[in-house]
Amino acid sequence: MTAAGPGWRAWGRLDAVDIVEFGGTGTPIVLLHALMGRASTWWPCAGWLARHGRVLGYDARAHGRHPVRGPGTTADFVADLASVLRRTGPAVLVGHSMGALHALVAASTHPHLVHAVVTEDVGVDLRGRTSDDWRALFAQWPTPFPSMAHVREFFGPAADYFAECVEERADGYHLIADLEALFAIAEEWGHRDYWDHVERVRCPVLAIEAEHTVMPAGQQAQIPLRAPGGGHHLVVEGAGHLVHAAVPQVYRGAVEAFLSEVL
């Protein structure tokens, strides 16, 4: 692949504790995790995605092994992402929830670094929601979990995902991410919408929505309609917020069909 654009330079391996090189060669495909997640949650998708390009992910600040442990604004997250993309060259961005929002904003603000975007159950306008919603959710979790078996039992069908998001400490298993940092990140979303960024996305967008989405009704269908680059919208029947884990074959089929168009 030949790539060009302001600030771009040739890439090799991105050796860092917060970077996961999933494999593959060719066009970079960068995977962006959700709030509370980390790059390694994408392993179930990495094998088939590596047939389409060079797949990598990274732990966003305040998550996983990223050296910056405090919270950041959306602008901070997108600046971090742009720094990675300047090293990889222009990429397809595949994001879930928070990561999908960062993908859209990156495509808006750094169009020369983004070929296409796949969003998964993303919120573009969450005004009115506060971190109290997240606090109520996490208050129900019996943390610390006494064992990995308890983690898996509690999260059931999503156990593989959440097993990547915890670490063992002296008193049991805790989230790797700091809860107060997560609450601070989510608080920003309740005060503004991001349609202005969507309306500047000039690359194709695939918006995948869960049938049982936790996002406001009707928004995700508007993303490819309001983005100048156009694209597709798909509602995945039977899926909750974590679509790629709940209905993996439908998610894979949709993403691979989209990649065959944009690559």
Side-chain angles (χ1 to χ4, degrees):
M1 183 184 83
T2 300
W8 180 84
R9 60 187 176 85
W11 48 263
R13 284 189 60 84
L14 304 184
D15 291 317
V17 295
D18 54 333
I19 296 287
V20 177
E21 292 269 5
F22 291 106
T25 60
T27 301
I29 300 173
V30 178
L31 309 181
L32 307 174
H33 63 75
L35 187 72
M36 186 190 62
R38 60 182 307 195
S40 60
T41 61
W42 285 105
W43 272 112
C45 300
W48 56 265
L49 280 169
R51 301 177 185 178
H52 301 276
R54 178 206 183 191
V55 183
L56 61 93
Y58 73 99
D59 296 342
R61 61 174 60 205
H63 295 77
R65 301 305 175 196
H66 196 284
V68 177
R69 301 312 300 163
T73 64
T74 298
D76 293 328
F77 284 106
V78 172
D80 294 342
L81 172 57
S83 179
V84 173
L85 297 178
R86 290 189 188 100
R87 299 170 66 190
T88 64
V92 175
L93 304 182
V94 179
H96 173 225
S97 197
M98 178 186 78
L101 176 64
H102 297 163
L104 290 169
V105 177
S108 163
T109 55
H110 302 278
H112 60 288
L113 294 176
V114 183
H115 279 312
V117 172
V118 177
T119 68
E120 176 186 351
D121 221 41
V122 64
V124 176
D125 183 356
L126 300 180
R127 286 176 296 174
R129 296 190 184 183
T130 71
S131 59
D132 290 342
D133 298 326
W134 288 93
R135 291 179 186 275
L137 171 65
F138 291 128
Q140 302 173 27
W141 293 14
T143 52
F145 295 93
S147 72
M148 181 56 71
H150 287 85
V151 173
R152 291 187 168 278
E153 180 180 16
F154 182 78
F155 290 108
D160 288 344
Y161 180 92
F162 285 100
E164 297 288 345
C165 303
V166 298
E167 64 181 358
E168 186 177 15
R169 302 175 190 169
D171 59 344
Y173 285 82
H174 294 255
L175 281 177
I176 299 174
D178 177 74
L179 285 179
E180 290 303 320
L182 301 187
F183 298 147
I185 293 165
E187 190 69 23
E188 177 191 0
W189 305 334
H191 298 288
R192 64 152 299 177
D193 68 86
Y194 296 87
W195 286 117
D196 57 330
H197 286 288
V198 171
E199 291 168 354
R200 295 197 297 270
V201 174
R202 298 192 174 279
C203 64
V205 179
L206 170 62
I208 298 177
E209 180 176 356
E211 178 185 12
H212 307 296
T213 182
V214 297
M215 300 304 174
Q219 284 190 15
Q220 294 180 71
Q222 290 296 310
I223 293 173
L225 297 178
R226 295 176 67 166
H232 310 283
H233 169 248
L234 171 68
V235 176
V236 179
E237 294 183 5
H241 184 54
L242 194 61
V243 180
H244 68 266
V247 192
Q249 292 304 317
V250 175
Y251 177 86
R252 174 179 177 175
V255 173
E256 288 196 310
F258 180 67
L259 292 177
S260 72
E261 292 181 17
V262 301
L263 299 180

